[in-house]
Amino acid sequence: MQLDDFDRRIVGALAREGRLSAVELAERIGLSASAVTRRLQRLETGGVIAGYRAVVDPNALGLGITAFVEISLDRQNDEALKAFEAAARKCPNILSLYLMSGSSDYLLRIVARDLPDFERLHANVLGHLPGVARIESKFALREAIERPLVPIG
C-alpha cells in the first residue's frame, strides 16, 4: 500500500497517542475530520494499522523481570514448530515469540514477578513445551529504547 505524507503523519500520531479522535488527528495534520476518517479506514483495511491497544507497564503489575529466552528444538519440521507455538501461546507470561534463523529456533520475551517466579516458569512451563532441546535465558537490566512506531519513511 502506498502511503503519502498525510498517511504517514496519521500513522505516526496514532503510534504516539492511540486514543486521538479523527477530529484531533485532523487538527494536527491539516485535513478535515471526514478525510481523516476515510484515510483511517483505508489504513486499517489495508493492514497498515493492525490494531489499537493500551501500553501497559509490566512493573506496575508487579512483573519486574523481563527475560529473553532462546529455545532450540530437537527437530524443526512443520509439525514440531506448530506444536511448540500452540503450546507457547497458552502461557500469558510469553509476550512475544519469534521463529529465528541462527543457532536457536525461537526467541521469546517473557515477564515474571521476580527470579523465583521466572525459575518456576523455566521449570514448569518452558521446560515442558513440546520438542525443547535447549533453553538459554538472558535478563534485561533496563529498556534503553522502545519505539511504538516502525520506520514509515
Side-chain angles (χ1 to χ4, degrees):
M1 169 179 240
Q2 283 291 93
L3 301 182
D4 65 16
D5 188 54
F6 287 117
D7 293 330
R8 286 185 196 84
R9 289 166 57 194
I10 288 170
V11 171
L14 286 175
R16 288 184 295 280
E17 296 178 69
R19 294 182 67 167
L20 291 173
S21 68
V23 171
E24 292 168 317
L25 275 169
E27 290 172 0
R28 290 186 186 197
I29 67 168
L31 287 175
S32 69
S34 60
V36 166
T37 300
R38 283 191 303 275
R39 285 173 177 268
L40 278 172
Q41 290 171 342
R42 186 173 57 81
L43 291 166
E44 291 167 358
T45 302
V48 174
I49 296 176
Y52 300 88
R53 63 183 80 167
V55 177
V56 178
D57 180 355
N59 288 304
L61 299 178
L63 298 166
I65 298 288
T66 298
F68 293 89
V69 178
E70 295 180 16
I71 292 185
S72 297
L73 302 181
D74 55 13
R75 58 191 188 287
Q76 291 78 25
N77 62 40
D78 200 40
E79 183 180 312
L81 299 177
K82 285 180 182 175
F84 176 83
E85 291 172 15
R89 274 188 203 93
K90 295 177 184 173
C91 178
N93 293 74
I94 299 173
L95 300 183
S96 56
L97 173 68
Y98 295 92
L99 179 62
M100 303 296 290
S101 64
S103 61
S104 60
D105 295 311
Y106 285 96
L107 177 66
L108 295 71
R109 182 171 54 104
I110 296 177
V111 291
R113 288 187 303 275
D114 49 29
L115 286 175
D117 187 39
F118 179 81
E119 181 181 11
R120 179 194 59 78
L121 284 166
H122 189 283
N124 298 334
V125 176
L126 301 178
H128 292 280
L129 291 172
V132 170
R134 184 182 67 81
I135 301 172
E136 183 176 335
S137 304
K138 298 172 172 77
F139 295 95
L141 300 177
R142 68 179 165 87
E143 185 175 72
I145 296 174
E146 190 278 327
R147 292 190 174 103
L149 177 65
V150 298
I152 58 171

